[in-house]
Each structure stands twice: as structure tokens, then as C-alpha cells.
Amino acid sequence: TLGIGNYTEKDIKEAARALTGWTFRGNEFIFQRRAHDDGEKTFLGKTGSFDGDQVIDIIFEQPATSRFIARKVFSFFCHEAPSLEVIEELAAVLRESRFEVKPLLARLFTSVEFHSASARGTRIKGPVELVAGTLRLLEIDPGDSPAFAFLAGRMGQDLLLPPSVKGWDGGPSWISTSSIFDRYNFARPILGLEEPRADGLGGGKSQKKAVRDEARRMPRWDGRAGRERILGADAERLSPEEVVDRVVKRFLLVPLPEEARKKLVDFYAGSKSERRLEELIHLVLSSPEYQVG
């Protein structure tokens, strides 16, 4: 909530004292007064017999808190290098709304910065964002299938299992030699081009079989119905160039280099496969341009 540099090690220790007594029993959150340290504490320049609620109130009185949250939100939706003026403006909105997030998002989404060229293609999509965004673009209802969470997990983001309390590092850390293959190929089972794989998982054969069986039941893209949604009502009359341009326009936020576009056109024009549209979509989804948002 504050960001490194805006608190000391002593503040951490004093806050820990204030938080004593907060615990849980089963799924119930409780406060055990006898386990609470009610002594005097000095936290972020204030002194008193603080409890956890008061520590939180003090944190949200700090100007650094609104700036830190505003920067986090801006970086998630726009880019990693916001100006100080933009952060101050968003932080002020957050303070004025008593830290309600909705007004902050409304200001951000209607700002010049959000719609600027510098906000496009500068963020590497996280695995969950990659999978969820693809399902939306393909207009697939995931239902209650856990298979899509499994796909995100293969790319390094197990839902509800972050590597630490800080969460995932995100950004460039999503791209590595161990994850890039899965990032480029996660859409193949969604498009019906292959069966989901269960290799690389822990556990024995029975566990892998259960995962594979569940994955086989996941919703997939319906090529016949989806063709018109992707390409339009005149899909059957389109040239290979027009097909590629419409697929690229739907799935990519940043321009595709002309050389890459020509290769896609040549592929589509020369393919005899009944699934050539699915294969074309997969090539676009596995492009470097699709990895960013």
C-alpha cells in the first residue's frame, strides 16, 4: 500500500504488534483480544496504543499510499512510465473518493494517456489475461471448465497460488525459454487443433489422466459458427488478403510487419486444410504482436 522507501523496518515491527490477535478459526475471521499487544506503538510518525484498524487508517492517511495505488493501476492498464503529473492527478481522484476504485478507473479510462499510442503494445500479457482475452475474442463461453485455468498454469500463473505474498512479478518475467512454447501454443486445443497435454505435471498417471479427461471436455471454438463472426457475413467471398487483414484487425492491437502479413497470406492461400482458418488464427495468436497489450 505504501511502496518501498516510504516506511522503515521499525514501522513493520510496530505494525506487526498492532496486528496481533487477528486470526481465523476455520473459515471465520476473528479477533482474540487476549492475544493482542495493547502497548504503545510508534507507527509512521504517530504514537498510540494502536490496533490493526488504526494502523490501516494511518496507512491511508499517507500521501504515498494514493500515489502507490494509482501507479499500480496505471501500469497495469497503460504502461510502466507514467509522468508524475498523471500519477498526482489519479492519486487525487483516489483520495477524493475515499479510495473507491471505480472513480479512479473512470478517470483513467477516459484519459488521453489511456488512449495514446504509448499505451498500446507496451505491456506483456499475463497468462490469465492471455487466455481470458482469447476466449473473449473468439466468443467462447468458458462455462465452469477448469481447463482454461490449467492452460494459464502451464504458462506460469496458477490461479490463487502466487509465488509469494507480493504476487507475480509480471512484465518481462512472463517470457522465458520455459514459457514461450506454451504461450505460442496454448490456443491450439481451444481452436480444436490438438488435444490438451498433461505432460509436465506432477503426480502419477491417474492424476494426469484426470486432467486430460477434464481438458477434453472444455468448450472449443466452433469453426462453422465462428467463421462468420470473425470474418463477417461475406466470409465466403473474401480473398486471402482480406481474410488475413480481418483476422489481424480482430486479434492484434499493434500493427503487423508487412513481411509477417505476407507470410500469413501465402500460408492461407496455399493451405488445403479444412481447418486453415483455425490454423491462421493460431499463427496470429502465436505472433510476438499478440503477446502484448
Side-chain angles (χ1 to χ4, degrees), residues 208-225:
K208 293 180 180 179
K209 182 180 184 301
V211 170
R212 193 159 41 234
D213 290 345
E214 186 62 49
R216 283 172 179 161
R217 291 192 290 270
M218 75 178 182
R220 311 216 184 170
W221 191 61
D222 183 342
R224 291 185 178 181

Side-chain angles (χ1 to χ4, degrees), residues 223-251:
R224 291 185 178 181
R227 181 180 181 84
E228 187 169 314
R229 290 200 300 269
I230 296 291
L231 300 179
D234 58 345
E236 298 301 328
R237 300 190 298 275
L238 298 178
S239 67
E241 290 83 358
E242 291 171 322
V243 169
V244 169
D245 288 342
R246 292 192 185 184
V247 170
V248 166
K249 182 179 180 180
R250 183 177 184 89
F251 290 98

Side-chain angles (χ1 to χ4, degrees), residues 71 74 79-90 113:
R71 182 178 294 276
F74 184 95
H79 56 79
E80 297 284 344
S83 67
L84 293 177
E85 292 76 14
V86 168
I87 294 304
E88 287 296 342
E89 178 185 351
L90 294 176
E113 288 79 10

Side-chain angles (χ1 to χ4, degrees), residues 6 17 49 67 71 81 91 104 126 133 152 213-214 259 268 279:
N6 294 301
R17 291 178 59 206
S49 300
R67 296 185 189 120
R71 182 178 294 276
L104 171 66
D213 290 345
E214 186 62 49
E259 182 181 354
Y268 192 79
E279 291 169 351

Side-chain angles (χ1 to χ4, degrees), residues 1-7 59-60 62-76 82 87-88 90-92 94-95 99 104 166:
T1 53
L2 284 166
I4 294 173
N6 294 301
Y7 56 86
I59 287 173
F60 279 89
Q62 309 303 307
T65 303
S66 57
R67 296 185 189 120
F68 182 75
I69 296 174
R71 182 178 294 276
K72 281 280 190 180
V73 172
F74 184 95
S75 298
F76 183 84
I87 294 304
E88 287 296 342
L90 294 176
L94 200 55
R95 291 192 297 271
F99 287 87
L104 171 66
K166 186 181 70 170

Side-chain angles (χ1 to χ4, degrees), residues 172 180 193 207 223:
I180 193 65
L193 295 174
Q207 180 184 353

